[in-house]
Amino acid sequence: MKIDEKSINSKHSNQLSLITKTKKIKLWIFTLIFVFMNNCTLFKESPFDPNGELATILNLIRMGNLFRNFTTQSNYVFLFHIKDSNGAPLNGKYVKYTVYNEADENGEVGTEFNTLIDVNGRSFLGFSERGIAKVKVFNNLSDTESIGEFQFRLYPDLTNSNFNFLSISGNVSPSLDDLSAYANGLGTNYTLEYLGSANNRQFLQITVQKSFGSSENTSDIYIISSTDGLNYNTVTKIDGIDVNYSTSSNNKSEVKISKVTFNGFEYIFFLGEIKSVIAPISVQAHKNLVVRLPSNFIPRAVTAEPLILPSDYEINSLRPSSPEAPQNLPTLSFGNRFLISPYKAADTIYVPMLIDLTGSTPIVFSGVGSCAFNNSYSYNYYKIFQYEGIDYLHCRESGLISQNYTMNSIRSYDYHNNEITFNTGGDNYQSPPFVTPKMKLIGIVGNVSPYNGYRFPVSGQYLNTNPTISMDTNPITGLTTSITAQGTIRDTKISDGNEFVILSDNYSLQPAVSVDIFKSSDDFNTATKLSPVPTTYGMSGLNFEQFQTSNGTINLTWFSSQANGVGSFPVYLQRTSGSDDSWNEIPRIIKITQQN
């Protein structure tokens, strides 16, 4: 029998092929098992899979937004310029606006607010929640059909640079002038306290109410600061104080803060904590306190420390029938001590006093020849004058008389007092010599309006015993005013070599009928007058600490209450003088960039 070798080889080849394929299948199955055991997915997940990773991430983001919305408070202030599609301002039209929260499953829309577009085509809008803002413009408040609308999103960290309109439709063309976003109530109070400036920093006090009710209305107090008066980049909560208003018990506890002073390494604030009966007003207790903020690192919180003064002396007291605003009272760093101005209840007077912060016996000024207050308009004449490297405290001794004015000059290292008489040569004072930031002395002199500014050169005479110093023969070019008042000069400021002098007909500037501001860059050899302070956008009442300087210009800070059809909301504003000595037309909204 003949063997078919070809057939045998073919069968053998088929068997080998089957074995090889079987091995490959086993290897493939083993590979799949290994892959799945190691949680490796070979198939792309559908983005619509409700159990997929993308859906999980989106749900986490959504839950995070919900959590942030319910655990933090946000409020936003916008200033919009609203025109029609042809560019004409829609002044006199009405705006209705509301917000809906994207994270809310029910899609409920919040309260609807409304406001009037002003004569310049501008409108402030205030929001206290996050989401999509819908703004509609109407010819009349009662209309149901809008002439146009726009939308934008409200979210944390919203700024001018990242703001965008989501949509604009109809016959409206809005543009954003400015905005500010605040967190945790920092922009909710209807008052600002102006705490002055030191070491090129401007300070404000903000009160934030944290509980509401008839028995307890408690608040926190923050001191915020800025280098330009617009962007406040430090926020410090003051601990160790009690701020409470209770209508049920007819009691109240409040805190009054002095303007800032600087000792070279710390910003110092003096506080009075006052407990009183609301009606009729009766002070029950007073506590003197001090707050220190290191200048190299301003903390987020600081505790007010007790300040030991002789009995019956109260800082920022409310016992007088007409108490002085803390900003009006002198607070200065002088030598190794501080000049403060507590109220002595027994004598019913404010008394200037030099103290340190170690509890040493204070130096109390009283009587002629030692800087006692003789009238309210003398407060702002307490200034530090530096001559040949030594600080001298200037304070008024005499009232204004026709030709001569006597000032005390107290030396910083031994408190020796020297009486200096300034003579006009026959003309009346409107404002006696006032210390400028560059250590010059200028006054306002004249028998009839308008009055002129004059310099009082001290070289060669200042250190003489009880000298008489006469004013320059020629007036300061450009410093002419028609304001008539005792002590016309209220304050002087400096920035980048430019000095500013503020004049008014009221020592506190509130209310002030007239305010003149002059700028000088040559030690007041000449001066230029700034344009009148604008009164638009809710600016009312002035205190000279509202005026501060930065970047060679002077700025004005104030707060305004803006109606929204349901109630109102506060707006914190700043205006700056330009290089042409005129005020910016559009104010800026103050920013608080470090959130508490």
Side-chain angles (χ1 to χ4, degrees):
M1 179 175 169
K2 188 178 179 180
I3 298 175
D4 188 349
E5 292 182 6
K6 193 174 185 179
S7 174
I8 292 174
N9 289 337
S10 176
K11 285 182 180 181
H12 182 66
S13 176
N14 289 338
Q15 288 175 352
L16 289 174
S17 176
L18 180 60
I19 292 172
T20 302
K21 288 181 179 179
T22 303
K23 288 182 178 180
K24 287 183 178 180
I25 291 172
K26 287 180 179 181
L27 181 62
W28 184 73
I29 293 173
F30 177 78
T31 302
L32 285 179
I33 293 173
F34 177 81
V35 167
F36 282 115
M37 286 180 66
N38 284 275
N39 299 315
C40 181
T41 303
L42 296 180
F43 303 101
K44 186 177 179 181
E45 174 188 289
S46 169
F48 303 105
D49 184 358
N51 297 316
E53 290 183 3
L54 179 60
T56 301
I57 292 172
L58 292 175
N59 282 330
L60 287 173
I61 293 174
R62 181 172 171 275
M63 291 301 295
N65 288 335
L66 279 172
F67 177 79
R68 187 161 53 176
N69 286 346
F70 283 109
T71 57
T72 62
Q73 176 188 356
S74 295
N75 56 296
Y76 307 82
V77 177
F78 294 82
L79 179 58
F80 285 108
H81 197 187
I82 305 175
K83 304 176 182 179
D84 63 19
S85 55
N86 294 319
L90 290 171
N91 50 294
K93 308 299 183 183
Y94 288 86
V95 167
K96 297 180 183 179
Y97 60 98
T98 189
V99 177
Y100 77 89
N101 192 335
E102 296 171 286
D104 186 351
E105 289 183 346
N106 299 319
E108 293 185 7
V109 177
T111 304
E112 183 178 80
F113 302 99
N114 66 75
T115 188
L116 180 68
I117 301 175
D118 69 17
V119 294
N120 299 308
R122 289 181 168 84
S123 186
F124 285 102
L125 306 184
F127 301 88
S128 59
E129 53 190 318
R130 299 164 182 163
I132 302 295
K134 292 186 174 183
V135 183
K136 296 182 179 182
V137 181
F138 297 83
N139 284 315
N140 303 289
L141 189 59
S142 59
D143 290 353
T144 57
E145 293 293 328
S146 69
I147 62 176
E149 61 182 81
F150 54 94
Q151 297 184 22
F152 53 91
R153 180 173 280 108
L154 302 167
Y155 55 92
D157 305 319
L158 182 63
T159 64
N160 291 45
S161 59
N162 60 25
F163 172 85
N164 285 296
F165 290 104
L166 296 178
S167 65
I168 301 174
S169 61
N171 188 26
V172 295
S173 178
S175 60
L176 176 69
D177 279 334
D178 204 7
L179 73 85
S180 189
Y182 304 102
N184 300 329
L186 285 174
T188 58
N189 197 267
Y190 284 85
T191 60
L192 287 176
E193 297 295 338
Y194 312 100
L195 303 183
S197 63
N199 192 34
N200 298 317
R201 274 204 169 269
Q202 304 177 31
F203 292 85
L204 295 175
Q205 172 191 333
I206 288 183
T207 302
V208 177
Q209 190 166 346
K210 63 180 181 179
S211 68
F212 302 81
S214 59
S215 59
E216 289 284 326
N217 291 274
T218 59
S219 299
D220 289 329
I221 287 181
Y222 298 85
I223 293 176
I224 65 175
S225 75
S226 167
T227 57
D228 62 6
L230 178 64
N231 300 287
Y232 283 78
N233 58 1
T234 74
V235 179
T236 303
K237 180 176 177 288
I238 309 303
D239 293 327
I241 58 175
D242 180 23
V243 181
N244 190 3
Y245 186 96
S246 173
T247 55
S248 62
S249 64
N250 197 35
N251 291 317
K252 141 173 105 166
S253 178
E254 56 190 309
V255 171
K256 299 293 184 180
I257 304 180
S258 72
K259 59 187 176 184
V260 65
T261 187
F262 183 62
N263 63 0
F265 58 93
E266 288 178 315
Y267 301 106
I268 308 293
F269 301 86
F270 296 98
L271 286 64
E273 181 185 274
I274 306 106
K275 297 185 183 296
S276 60
V277 174
I278 298 173
I281 298 175
S282 174
V283 176
Q284 304 298 302
H286 187 103
K287 186 187 296 183
N288 296 316
L289 302 165
V290 62
V291 163
R292 313 186 204 195
L293 302 181
S295 59
N296 60 343
F297 179 76
I298 299 178
R300 289 178 177 264
V302 67
T303 300
E305 308 168 31
L307 179 67
I308 307 302
L309 295 181
S311 61
D312 204 31
Y313 286 91
E314 298 178 349
I315 294 175
N316 303 333
S317 177
L318 291 182
R319 293 190 194 274
S321 56
S322 299
E324 286 290 350
Q327 304 96 320
N328 293 339
L329 295 168
T331 306
L332 299 168
S333 177
F334 179 57
N336 59 354
R337 291 180 179 254
F338 298 94
L339 174 76
I340 61 173
S341 312
Y343 181 76
K344 188 177 183 183
D347 297 335
T348 64
I349 57 172
Y350 291 94
V351 179
M353 175 187 294
L354 280 175
I355 66 167
D356 63 22
L357 300 182
T358 65
S360 300
T361 302
I363 298 174
V364 179
F365 295 140
S366 60
V368 175
S370 56
C371 280
F373 294 140
N374 51 35
N375 41 49
S376 56
Y377 57 79
S378 68
Y379 299 149
N380 52 316
Y381 280 79
Y382 282 69
K383 296 292 181 184
I384 304 300
F385 182 71
Q386 190 176 86
Y387 186 75
E388 295 184 352
I390 297 174
D391 286 347
Y392 297 83
L393 173 62
H394 276 199
C395 49
R396 297 180 63 167
E397 179 184 311
S398 66
L400 292 177
I401 58 176
S402 59
Q403 300 179 29
N404 296 319
Y405 164 76
T406 303
M407 174 180 289
N408 291 291
S409 171
I410 300 176
R411 196 162 51 204
S412 58
Y413 61 85
D414 60 359
Y415 308 117
H416 173 267
N417 180 45
N418 193 26
E419 294 182 0
I420 301 176
T421 299
F422 293 93
N423 185 274
T424 66
D427 290 333
N428 295 329
Y429 277 110
Q430 294 301 315
S431 192
F434 199 98
V435 179
T436 72
K438 293 183 181 180
M439 299 302 151
K440 305 298 180 183
L441 294 172
I442 63 172
I444 307 297
V445 177
N447 294 326
V448 294
S449 176
Y451 311 104
N452 294 315
Y454 285 86
R455 298 204 320 172
F456 288 77
V458 300
S459 178
Q461 304 174 71
Y462 188 80
L463 299 182
N464 294 344
T465 300
N466 301 331
T468 296
I469 297 175
S470 299
M471 68 182 188
D472 274 342
T473 303
N474 297 320
I476 299 170
T477 303
L479 208 170
T480 303
T481 181
S482 297
I483 294 177
T484 301
Q486 287 188 315
T488 308
I489 298 177
R490 305 308 173 193
D491 207 358
T492 53
K493 311 284 185 181
I494 188 170
S495 176
D496 293 349
N498 290 331
E499 292 180 286
F500 299 85
V501 58
I502 304 168
L503 287 68
S504 87
D505 57 354
N506 185 305
Y507 79 95
S508 68
L509 292 190
Q510 186 176 356
V513 176
S514 301
V515 176
D516 284 346
I517 300 177
F518 294 86
K519 181 180 78 172
S520 175
S521 57
D522 60 1
D523 296 340
F524 280 102
N525 286 300
T526 62
T528 55
K529 186 177 180 180
L530 272 64
S531 63
V533 179
T535 58
T536 55
Y537 298 100
M539 203 285 292
S540 62
L542 287 172
N543 178 291
F544 58 77
E545 292 302 338
Q546 290 176 248
F547 292 100
Q548 300 298 334
T549 54
S550 65
N551 302 317
T553 65
I554 190 167
N555 58 70
L556 169 64
T557 300
W558 77 100
F559 70 90
S560 173
S561 178
Q562 297 292 326
N564 61 9
V566 176
S568 61
F569 59 95
V571 181
Y572 305 152
L573 296 169
Q574 186 227 46
R575 203 177 229 129
T576 304
S577 65
S579 57
D580 61 351
D581 299 324
S582 62
W583 295 90
N584 293 344
E585 177 189 358
I586 309 303
R588 299 292 309 276
I589 303 173
I590 285 175
K591 281 77 176 154
I592 304 177
T593 54
Q594 176 186 306
Q595 307 295 358
N596 59 317

